[in-house]
Amino acid sequence: MPNYDPNNIFAKILRGEIPAFKVYEDDHVFAFLDIMPRAPGHTLVIPKAPARNILDISPEDFAHVARGAHKIKMKPHLARWTARQVPDLESIKLR
């Protein structure tokens, strides 16, 4: 199996090298609007722990991802936006 690539697109987003429309962040996860959404509001929630895929993370990190997804689910203010349409990033951030 290949090793973790620290230059993958998600690692670059986490380091701020590639812009993203952040909707949630804590010590363990980062959530942002998908640039090619399946539907308005399509949000990606990724662990901050290095991982090739979701099966590579620890059960604790997996739980953090699930809690992060739960915090942003069903937010009506996210449902109308895609990453290409956001007029005011501050208006969609979770408080």
Side-chain angles (χ1 to χ4, degrees):
M1 228 184 250
N3 292 328
Y4 174 75
D5 178 6
N7 289 313
N8 72 69
I9 192 162
F10 298 110
K12 289 179 179 183
I13 289 170
L14 287 171
R15 290 192 301 263
E17 296 170 7
I18 295 176
F21 291 100
K22 177 175 68 172
V23 295
Y24 177 77
E25 182 175 20
D26 65 21
D27 291 341
H28 304 280
V29 301
F30 185 78
F32 55 99
L33 291 178
D34 192 340
I35 196 164
M36 295 182 66
R38 306 279 264 170
H42 183 182
T43 303
L44 300 176
V45 182
I46 62 171
K48 288 186 174 180
R52 294 170 300 157
N53 59 54
I54 198 72
L55 300 176
D56 275 355
I57 62 176
S58 71
E60 294 81 17
D61 285 324
F62 188 83
H64 287 297
V65 170
R67 281 193 289 275
H70 188 264
K71 287 179 182 180
I72 63 169
K73 74 173 185 151
M74 304 296 283
K75 298 296 182 184
H77 62 284
L78 288 178
R80 64 179 181 253
W81 303 115
T82 68
R84 295 172 192 258
Q85 298 173 320
V86 177
D88 175 13
L89 185 57
E90 290 302 313
S91 70
I92 66 157
K93 286 186 181 177
L94 297 178
R95 308 253 185 292

